[in-house]
Amino acid sequence: MQIKSILFTTALAALMAACGEPPVVDVQQQQGDPLKENMINANKYFASSEENEIDSYIGRRGWKMQKLNNGTRLWEYQKGNGKELQNEECVNVEYRLETLTGKVLYEKAEDMVIMGRGQAIAGLETALKSLTHGSKAKVIIPSAMAYGVVGDGDQISTRMVLVLDLTVK
C-alpha cells in the first residue's frame, strides 16, 4: 500500500513538472452571467427596433420632430403664448393618445401634472419642459420612458410606444 502511494506521488510530481506552471485564468472573465448578458442584448435589440419604428413613423408623416435627451420626440406645431412651465407648477394637459399602429387608446383625456414631481411618465414631463402655456404638440414617447414592460394595467400594454397630440392648458 505504501509503495502505491509513493508511486502515485512520484507520478503526480513528474506530471506537474512536465506541464510547467499552470495557466493563469482571469476568473472575472469566465464568471459572466449568460442569462443577464442575453437579457441585455435582447433589450438593446428591442430598443434599436423601437427607434427604427419611431423614425419610420415620423418619416411617413413628415413631422418635424426633435429628439429630446431621453429619446422622446417632440414637435410643437402651434407655439404657446404663455409663460414657460416651472417646477412645482400645476399644469392641465389635454391629449389624444394612440399607438404607432394608429390604435386610439384615449380619444380625449385630461390630466393635471405638477411639474418636477415625477408624477407624469418621464417622457411626458420631459416634453412639457420644452413647451409653454397654450402650446399644441405631437409627442412620441418610447416605451422605456412611458410605462415600460408593465403597461398601465388598462389600455397600455407592455413595451408600448405612445403617440400624443396634446395641448397645454
Side-chain angles (χ1 to χ4, degrees):
M1 188 70 143
Q2 201 172 24
I3 294 176
K4 285 184 183 179
S5 198
I6 293 171
L7 285 174
F8 177 74
T9 306
T10 306
L12 185 61
L15 181 62
M16 289 178 67
C19 293
E21 290 288 319
V24 177
V25 178
D26 184 6
V27 176
Q28 289 282 38
Q29 187 178 15
Q30 289 185 343
Q31 287 184 345
D33 182 358
L35 180 59
K36 184 177 180 181
E37 289 175 23
N38 286 343
M39 292 299 290
I40 290 170
N41 289 335
N43 279 329
K44 285 180 183 177
Y45 174 78
F46 182 81
S48 174
S49 295
E50 192 173 87
E51 286 288 313
N52 291 337
E53 287 177 25
I54 292 170
D55 290 341
S56 177
Y57 180 89
I58 293 168
R60 287 190 307 271
R61 281 153 185 77
W63 292 350
K64 299 167 182 77
M65 300 192 104
Q66 69 182 70
K67 186 175 183 180
L68 305 178
N69 62 358
N70 66 359
T72 298
R73 308 309 202 288
L74 173 68
W75 173 37
E76 186 178 13
Y77 62 87
Q78 182 178 322
K79 296 278 185 193
N81 55 7
K83 62 182 175 87
E84 290 183 9
L85 306 178
Q86 304 294 317
N87 271 345
E88 299 299 319
E89 181 178 356
C90 194
V91 179
N92 190 18
V93 181
E94 186 178 284
Y95 59 92
R96 178 177 196 266
L97 180 66
E98 62 184 59
T99 67
L100 286 178
T101 61
K103 178 182 177 189
V104 177
L105 302 175
Y106 298 105
E107 183 62 46
K108 189 172 182 182
E110 200 167 318
D111 278 333
M112 191 69 78
V113 176
I114 300 175
M115 295 297 293
R117 293 251 179 115
Q119 293 175 300
I121 56 177
L124 177 58
E125 190 161 334
T126 301
L128 289 173
K129 288 177 184 176
S130 301
L131 300 173
T132 60
H133 289 278
S135 292
K136 290 188 176 187
K138 302 277 188 184
V139 179
I140 300 177
I141 305 172
S143 64
M145 294 294 109
Y147 291 94
V149 296
V150 294
D152 75 345
D154 187 19
Q155 295 286 327
I156 301 169
S157 64
T158 181
R159 293 188 179 213
M160 187 175 282
V161 176
L162 303 179
V163 181
L164 292 93
D165 187 352
L166 64 82
T167 303
V168 180
K169 297 284 185 168

